[in-house]
Amino acid sequence: MGSEMNRRDLVKRSAALGLVAVPSAGLLSACASSGGGSDNSTTKPSKGAASKDNPFGVNDSAPLDIVIFDGGYGHDYATALGKLYESKHSGSKVSVTPTQDITGKLQPRFNGGNPPDVIDDSGAQQIKLDVLQKNGQLSDLTPLLDAPYLDDPSKKIRDVLQPGTIETGTLDGKMVQLSYIYTVWGLWYSGKLFKEKGWTEPKTWADFMSLSAEIKKAGIAPFAHQGKYPYYINVCIMDLIAKNGGTDLAKRIDAFDPTAWDDPAVLKGISAIYEIVDKGFLLPGTNGLTHIESQTKWNQYKAAFIPCGSWLENEQLKATPSDFDMKFMPMPSLDGDKLPFDAIRAGAGEPFIVPAKAKNQAGGMEFLRMMLTKEGSGKFAAAANSLTVLKDGVGSDVQLRPGTASTVTALSAAGTNTFNYNYPNTNSQFDTDLQNLSAELMAKRLKPADWVAKAKQLATKAKSS
C-alpha cells in the first residue's frame, strides 16, 4: 500500500531539480446527482481521427473547458498548461476557471449534463469522487494509461508514473482519477524560530511534549491546527497509528476491518494527540479557525508546529516572512513504533478527472497526457512549487523553496518507509465521520477511548455498506 519510492527515481528527481546533494524523489463535502452516466455521444463534438500521434482522436478546433481548485497550488500552472495545449492543437481555445467552491460551481453542471472537460476536484468543497463514480459520472482513464508517453513514445503513460499513482486513482477496479501531485504529510515549523530559540527537531513523542512545555513557557503556543477542517488533525492521528502499528494495520484500516481498531496502536496514537489538548498546548481558538487562518497565525510565530501536506508553502506564500525558513518533519515516534522516525505518509494526490459527459472528452484525456511530460511537470513545479507524479523529474531549471526542498530531503531519508491511506477515496462518508470524531476530541468533548469505540462502529458500518 502507499508508495514505495524507487531510489534510482529519487536520485534522478533530486538531480534534475538541483535541490539537494542526497538522493531524493509530489477534502471534504457535498454529493453528486444521481443523474448522468457514460453515454455522452450526443454531447461531444465530432472527434478527429485517432492515430499514433493522436491516440484519443482530439478535434483540434474543439474548445477545452477546465475548472481548477484554486487552493494551495493556485491555478497559474493550469493557465500555462492551457497555452501549451493550444500550441499543440491549433484552432483550440482553452478556458481555465479557478474556484474554491468546486461543488457550488459544478454541481449544477453535473446535474444539467454539461460538466467541464477537466476538473481538479479538490478542496473543502470537493464533489466526492466515490459518489461521482457510483453515479457513472467519471470517465475510465485506462486509455490514458495505455497511451504513448509524449517524451518517449516507446513508453506508455503507466510506465512513467510514481508507484502508487494508479492505485490511488482506482475505484471499483478502474482508474478514474489522475492523482497528479506527489505529496508528503507531516508537521511543519520555522527554521528561523527554532534557530533563534535554540530548539531542535524532536524525534520522539516524549521529546515533542518536553519541547512543547518549553515553547509554552516562551509565550508561544506549541501547536496549531486547522480546526474547521479536522482532515488535518486526522493526518497526525492516523500517521501516529500507522507508524506505531505498522503498514499491515494501516491496510486493515483501509479495508474497514473493525478489529483493526482494537489494536493497541490505535489508542496509543489518539491518546498522544489528546495529550496536546489536555496539557493546554493548543493555540487558543485554533479549533474554530480555517486552514488559512491557523496557518497565517503560525506564519506570525504564534504557534510552533502545524500539520499539513506539502502544498503548505505555496498556499502560504503571501503570509510567510521571507526569512521564515519553512521546515518539514515526520510525526515523532511513539514507544514501540514498528516504523522508524523517518517514515512518512507520502503518495499521489490532487485528483484530476474527465467527466463521462464532457463535451471534449478526448481533449480532456490529451490535456492530462500533456500534464505528464517534463515540460508540463516543469510548468507545474515552477508555478505551484511542488512535485508531480512523473518519475523523471521536471528539469534542472526548476528550483523549489526551502519548505518543499525539505520534503525532498525527508523523502530521501524515508526511502521505502512510506505509507498512505486510501479510505478517503473509497468511502468518503467514513472519512468525514472519522474527522468529526476528531473535532470532538480536540474540543475535549470526547475522550480517547470513546473515540476508538466510535471509530470501530464507523468501520463496522462502512464494511457492511
Side-chain angles (χ1 to χ4, degrees):
M1 75 168 296
S3 68
E4 298 180 0
M5 303 297 296
N6 181 297
R7 284 195 172 274
R8 181 177 60 186
D9 295 331
L10 293 169
V11 172
K12 287 193 289 184
R13 171 165 284 199
S14 60
L17 288 170
L19 290 172
V20 290
V22 294
S24 66
L27 287 172
L28 304 171
S29 68
C31 103
S33 161
S34 61
S38 58
D39 182 6
N40 53 8
S41 59
T42 61
T43 59
K44 284 186 288 185
S46 58
K47 292 176 62 173
S51 66
K52 183 178 180 181
D53 295 329
N54 185 11
F56 309 120
V58 173
N59 180 345
D60 282 346
S61 64
L64 190 66
D65 182 4
I66 301 171
V67 174
I68 297 292
F69 170 64
D70 196 17
Y73 301 114
H75 67 276
D76 290 345
Y77 71 92
T79 300
L81 288 166
K83 293 184 183 303
L84 179 62
Y85 181 93
E86 289 175 343
S87 72
K88 304 293 185 182
H89 298 281
S90 58
S92 64
K93 179 64 178 176
V94 176
S95 66
V96 175
T97 302
T99 181
Q100 292 194 354
D101 186 7
I102 293 292
T103 292
K105 199 87 172 176
L106 297 184
Q107 191 67 70
R109 295 188 61 179
F110 273 102
N111 292 346
N114 64 331
D117 304 312
V118 178
I119 304 169
D120 171 18
D121 186 20
S122 187
Q125 298 303 321
Q126 174 197 49
I127 302 178
K128 294 302 184 184
L129 290 159
D130 56 336
V131 177
L132 288 172
Q133 171 64 4
K134 286 176 182 177
N135 291 325
Q137 294 176 321
L138 298 178
S139 295
D140 182 358
L141 298 183
T142 303
L144 171 67
L145 296 177
D146 293 328
Y149 172 47
L150 281 165
D151 291 342
D152 182 356
S154 69
K155 299 178 181 178
K156 295 180 179 180
I157 291 294
R158 65 171 69 247
D159 300 327
V160 299
L161 300 176
Q162 288 284 7
T165 303
I166 295 174
E167 290 80 359
T168 299
T170 298
L171 292 175
D172 298 329
K174 292 189 298 186
M175 180 169 163
V176 293
Q177 68 179 49
L178 171 64
S179 300
Y180 182 60
I181 298 161
Y182 201 78
T183 306
V184 303
W185 292 263
L187 293 180
W188 298 78
Y189 63 93
S190 162
K192 175 192 176 184
L193 178 64
F194 271 51
K195 184 175 181 181
E196 287 180 349
K197 300 294 187 182
W199 299 333
T200 57
E201 182 180 287
K203 294 191 175 183
T204 68
W205 195 257
D207 287 344
F208 178 78
M209 297 308 292
S210 176
L211 177 59
S212 292
E214 186 178 343
I215 291 170
K216 187 175 181 179
K217 286 180 181 178
I220 300 171
F223 193 88
H225 76 110
Q226 303 83 337
K228 284 193 173 181
Y229 301 116
Y231 158 87
Y232 294 86
I233 197 63
N234 258 17
V235 168
C236 297
I237 293 168
M238 301 308 295
D239 284 10
L240 287 172
I241 290 171
K243 292 178 74 167
N244 192 251
T247 55
D248 284 344
L249 176 59
K251 289 178 183 178
R252 289 169 59 204
I253 289 173
D254 261 347
F256 306 108
D257 177 359
T259 66
W261 301 90
D262 297 326
D263 192 292
V266 175
L267 182 59
K268 187 178 288 189
I270 194 67
S271 297
I273 294 300
Y274 188 76
E275 190 178 5
I276 296 175
V277 182
D278 202 39
K279 291 189 174 181
F281 290 159
L282 280 184
L283 173 71
T286 192
N287 286 337
L289 298 181
T290 67
H291 58 305
I292 297 299
E293 289 168 342
S294 61
Q295 290 161 191
T296 299
K297 288 184 180 294
W298 171 70
N299 281 140
Q300 295 167 345
Y301 305 107
K302 294 180 180 178
F305 292 103
I306 197 164
C308 201
S310 50
W311 60 82
L312 176 65
E313 189 165 35
N314 200 63
E315 189 168 59
Q316 291 298 113
L317 281 180
K318 293 180 180 179
T320 305
S322 59
D323 59 350
F324 190 80
D325 191 22
M326 198 176 290
K327 297 290 186 184
F328 170 86
M329 63 170 281
M331 291 300 297
S333 298
L334 297 170
D335 289 342
D337 273 4
K338 292 183 179 178
L339 296 178
F341 164 73
D342 290 327
I344 54 176
R345 184 192 300 214
E350 200 73 10
F352 282 74
I353 61 174
V354 176
K357 284 200 169 185
K359 290 182 179 179
N360 191 2
Q361 192 180 55
M365 293 272 200
E366 182 66 8
F367 184 80
L368 297 185
R369 188 166 77 122
M370 293 178 69
M371 288 171 64
L372 292 166
T373 60
K374 286 186 178 180
E375 183 178 3
S377 291
K379 289 183 182 298
F380 174 81
N385 191 45
S386 195
L387 304 175
T388 75
V389 294
L390 182 66
K391 280 183 181 178
D392 291 335
V394 295
S396 59
D397 58 331
V398 177
Q399 296 293 318
L400 300 182
R401 294 175 181 270
T404 308
S406 74
T407 67
V408 176
T409 303
L411 276 169
S412 173
T416 58
N417 287 311
T418 60
F419 59 91
N420 205 353
Y421 288 98
N422 203 35
Y423 68 79
N425 295 324
T426 58
N427 195 317
S428 57
Q429 188 60 55
F430 171 82
D431 182 37
T432 298
D433 291 343
L434 194 65
Q435 291 175 32
N436 291 338
L437 289 183
S438 297
E440 291 294 292
L441 180 102
M442 300 306 287
K444 296 192 76 171
R445 292 190 291 264
L446 198 64
K447 293 292 182 68
D450 296 323
W451 185 97
V452 174
K454 290 180 179 295
K456 183 176 180 178
Q457 291 174 1
L458 292 176
T460 302
K461 180 181 176 182
K463 184 73 171 178
S464 62
S465 64

